[in-house]
Amino acid sequence: AFYFLAGIGRASIGDLKKPWFILVPASWTSKFWNMIKLDLLQTVIFSLLLIVPSVFLAQIHVGLIVVFPLGMIFAYLVGLAVNLIPQVGLDEGWDRILIKPLMIGGIFVFGLIPSFILGMIVFAVTDQFIYGLLTMVVGLGLVASILVHVTLDILKRLEFKEI
């Protein structure tokens, strides 16, 4: 939840509003990657520092060392996309105010809640936490990949907009 909120806060930096951001001679994918690279690296380091001692002290499944950081990264990317899509894609402030809650509600109802419910079902059936968490992370990864794709699409259209 904290990394979802960190992603939401990250999109407020205003780099995309500056004219020089458009003039950088690189693809939109690399511009987006350079904007969030440090945050993703810090997320991975922090989550590894949290999970590695926990796995070895509690003697639980080693797969958590891979699955937990992925879940943190996907939560950050969902939060970033939720804030970046209305901020860059919509011109009017009222559009942002009206569309953002609907978008967040749709992402939760049709993306995150079903993946969490499916993860709980898998956990109940297998009685293994790693499989339930893996199911949740895969669902979160699907939502994050769709939202990052939409974000990159909107960033490409930003080039042709008048700022």
Side-chain angles (χ1 to χ4, degrees):
F2 290 117
Y3 275 86
F4 175 76
L5 295 175
I8 285 179
R10 176 67 171 112
S12 301
I13 59 172
D15 280 349
L16 301 173
K17 302 285 185 193
K18 295 183 172 85
W20 55 265
F21 187 76
I22 292 173
L23 298 175
V24 173
S27 68
W28 285 99
T29 309
S30 65
K31 290 178 191 180
F32 182 71
W33 169 248
N34 287 330
M35 192 173 79
I36 64 170
K37 188 180 353 180
L38 181 62
D39 289 340
L40 292 178
L41 185 64
Q42 288 173 343
T43 302
V44 168
I45 291 171
F46 180 71
S47 61
L48 285 174
L49 287 175
L50 282 176
I51 198 66
V52 170
S54 301
V55 165
F56 291 122
L57 287 175
Q59 298 177 352
I60 51 181
H61 200 280
V62 182
L64 284 173
I65 295 175
V66 176
V67 175
F68 183 71
L70 282 176
M72 299 270 279
I73 288 172
F74 292 153
Y76 172 80
L77 288 175
V78 168
L80 179 71
V82 160
N83 202 19
L84 204 59
I85 290 169
Q87 181 180 354
V88 174
L90 301 173
D91 294 329
E92 299 295 323
W94 282 105
D95 289 342
R96 292 182 199 151
I97 292 171
L98 295 174
I99 296 291
K100 194 172 179 181
L102 292 174
M103 193 171 88
I104 291 173
I107 290 168
F108 273 100
V109 169
F110 297 111
L112 300 180
I113 293 174
S115 69
F116 291 141
I117 290 173
L118 190 60
M120 294 298 170
I121 291 171
V122 167
F123 173 67
V125 169
T126 62
D127 205 25
Q128 293 286 322
F129 177 73
I130 182 69
Y131 298 134
L133 184 64
L134 181 63
T135 305
M136 286 187 226
V137 167
V138 167
L140 191 61
L142 289 173
V143 172
S145 64
I146 291 169
L147 288 174
V148 167
H149 178 73
V150 171
T151 302
L152 290 174
D153 214 25
I154 286 176
L155 286 175
K156 284 181 187 175
R157 284 192 278 143
L158 181 69
E159 185 175 17
F160 302 111
K161 273 173 73 171
E162 207 174 288
I163 297 179

